[in-house]
Amino acid sequence: MAIPKQESLPNSPIFDKNRSGFNPQTGIYHSLHHLPKHHIIPSHPNLNTATYVLSQFPPPEQAETKVALIYSATYYRLTYSQLYKSITSLAAGLYHGLGVRKGDVVFILSPNSLLYPTICLAVLTIGAVITTANPLHTEGEINKQVHDSGAKLAISCPEQIHKLYSTGVPILLTSKEDSNQLSVEELIQNCQALEIPEVKSIQSDIAAILYSSGTTGTSKGVVLTHSNFISVFRLLKWSVDVSKAYDDVLLCFIPLFHIYGLVFFGLGLFSLGNTIVLMERYDFKGMLEAIQNHKVSNIPAVPPVILGLVKHGGGGYDLSSLRRVGSGAAPLSKEVVDGFRKKFPWVELRPGYGLTESCGAATFFASDAEAKARPASSARLLPGFSAKVVDIETGLALPPYREGELWLKSPTVMKEYLGNEEATAATIDSDRWLKTGDLCYFDDEGYIYIVDRIKELIKHNGYQVAPAELEAILTGHPDILDAAVIPLEDEEAGQIPLAYVVRAAGAKLTEDQIIQFVANQAAPYKKIRRVSFISAIPRSAAGKILRRQLIVQCKQQQPSKL
């Protein structure tokens, strides 16, 4: 959607704040949605994530038969009653058997599994803190996160355990396999009779440390509290009520270690009594089979998945049960949205926006009609959210249709970056405004449009890739003098990392050699996909890489799509 030119706006700069949510006196946009009293977070100080979620489970007579989880590949089902017993047994085992205490950090390294939600909720039940990692990460990346988070215990699937030996942290396997190592399965089986002592975790206590590259630089630990999570769960319940999305069967192929997967499928949806069909990892055919075989009605997805549905349709599978598809992690183009609605006219498509630093929440479409009317928008602010659009040059708050950096404030905003006062101060100001690093504008009815990323992150298939991290690897090569990494637009992945490299004099380094060099030191999704050789990296007087110049240069060198 094109932004109206300044001269086409009303002569008066005053916008109706009842329609736009914008207050010209303060420069603040307020949510046009209001949270009913029964959705407001209870003020009880001892309320924490686990006690809240478990208190919302179906009553015992329903929990015996109500299915909480289905493993897509095997059809194995876990009822809410079984899930509850697994959580409490594992919590008792962690406390009595392994000595995990309130405030201890537990590192989780596993792909999606039926045990993942049990592990998360059990850890939180005893007041410990979860930190999650991508199984694709290298041993070095995992070692760094374990020590940065201060983890006292690691829980790992058997296939990844070798990456943890160098950390020196005790390891608990998810399943027994052929190892003599203690497993989660054993603790659940052997600790059912043990009682969990009362642990007084309060809402301001830390619940999770999730690693994100933030607005710039290398990965940082996003500190999320119990209050952050509970705030999101209450918004999730509100969204279900306004959408009339009761008793949905949801498909999860999103990684549970990611904020999007964790908030929805690892924790929050169990407070609504939903049934979740779980895939270990995403594959397009497997997703279609799961929708057909399990009568899935709702998919929270990411843009590459939606693009696949647009390009390939249902592939001959029966997708008639599908009613809703959400989209997050990156913006959807208008072309993809229009293509999806044309191919699946009976399915509601609800794009949204959120960050790890806002506990995955920020905006929401309350109806499909709203989403259809504004295909380029990322919806309106959720209840309890406020926003500013801040001019990048002047720091002034801007009215509707003016582009600037999006700042957010809500009960879901993170506490801090772990042990990093400088990064925290650069991201959260003294009034607790979260600077997102995203360029946006609001229209005169309170809908937000994400225009571009000010921050330097590359979004590859929904993952965040920090250029600084790849540049550090590249410049570690003896034949590379300097390097800069920028995003290159890609239809399938959204963006791919492209490296501009300055070779040492006389060096014969090739593109393939550079790509392999980085691949040996970084997770697969972080890999350099393209290399361009350059005589010098453009930098400011202060030495900062002028990425925008490289991005413009790259676009000029790309052949036209027309």
Side-chain angles (χ1 to χ4, degrees), residues 211-388:
Y211 280 75
S212 164
S213 295
T215 56
T216 56
T218 56
S219 185
K220 295 177 282 291
V222 175
V223 177
L224 299 171
T225 66
H226 291 281
S227 177
N228 292 149
F229 277 120
I230 296 168
S231 297
V232 172
F233 301 159
R234 300 299 277 192
L235 292 173
L236 187 57
K237 183 172 176 57
W238 169 84
S239 71
V240 168
D241 283 352
V242 298
S243 301
K244 304 295 189 289
Y246 304 112
D247 296 320
D248 269 352
V249 176
L250 296 104
L251 178 62
C252 175
F253 45 74
I254 296 168
L256 292 174
F257 58 77
H258 188 277
I259 186 67
Y260 195 9
L262 182 65
V263 165
F264 273 91
F265 298 104
L267 301 168
L269 288 170
F270 298 113
S271 67
L272 303 177
N274 287 116
T275 297
I276 296 169
V277 179
L278 197 64
M279 294 173 62
E280 181 175 324
R281 59 180 57 86
Y282 170 74
D283 75 87
F284 189 72
K285 182 181 177 183
M287 176 190 72
L288 299 178
E289 287 179 346
I291 295 171
Q292 174 181 277
N293 296 341
H294 300 289
K295 305 301 179 188
V296 169
S297 58
N298 195 326
I299 306 176
V302 291
V305 174
I306 295 170
L307 179 61
L309 287 167
V310 172
K311 285 193 167 187
H312 306 296
Y317 290 89
D318 180 7
L319 306 187
S320 60
S321 63
L322 199 58
R323 289 290 174 267
R324 297 176 184 86
V325 173
S327 179
L332 281 175
S333 70
K334 182 180 182 300
E335 292 72 21
V336 171
V337 171
D338 290 343
F340 181 89
R341 292 190 181 282
K342 184 177 180 180
K343 190 153 287 188
F344 302 96
W346 70 93
V347 180
E348 297 180 4
L349 179 61
R350 306 280 187 93
Y353 170 84
L355 308 89
T356 304
E357 288 81 357
S358 67
C359 210
T363 70
F364 178 74
F365 275 115
S367 73
D368 191 49
E370 287 182 78
K372 283 180 177 177
R374 297 164 182 84
S377 173
S378 292
R380 280 173 164 169
L381 293 171
L382 280 159
F385 272 79
S386 300
K388 287 183 182 180

Side-chain angles (χ1 to χ4, degrees), residues 380-403:
R380 280 173 164 169
L381 293 171
L382 280 159
F385 272 79
S386 300
K388 287 183 182 180
V389 178
V390 178
D391 187 290
I392 300 167
E393 301 296 331
T394 67
L396 297 176
L398 301 172
Y401 296 110
R402 296 284 301 278
E403 288 184 5

Side-chain angles (χ1 to χ4, degrees), residues 82 93 95 106 120 176 209 223 295 352 379 431 454:
Q82 292 170 320
Y95 187 92
V106 177
C120 291
K176 186 69 175 175
I209 305 168
V223 177
K295 305 301 179 188
D431 291 324
I454 303 167

Side-chain angles (χ1 to χ4, degrees), residues 140-169:
E141 291 167 323
I142 287 168
N143 198 303
K144 179 183 176 183
Q145 183 177 332
V146 167
H147 290 293
D148 186 73
S149 65
K152 300 293 180 64
L153 173 71
I155 300 179
S156 172
C157 62
E159 297 78 15
Q160 301 295 329
I161 190 174
H162 64 281
K163 296 179 181 177
L164 288 160
Y165 291 141
S166 62
T167 67
V169 174

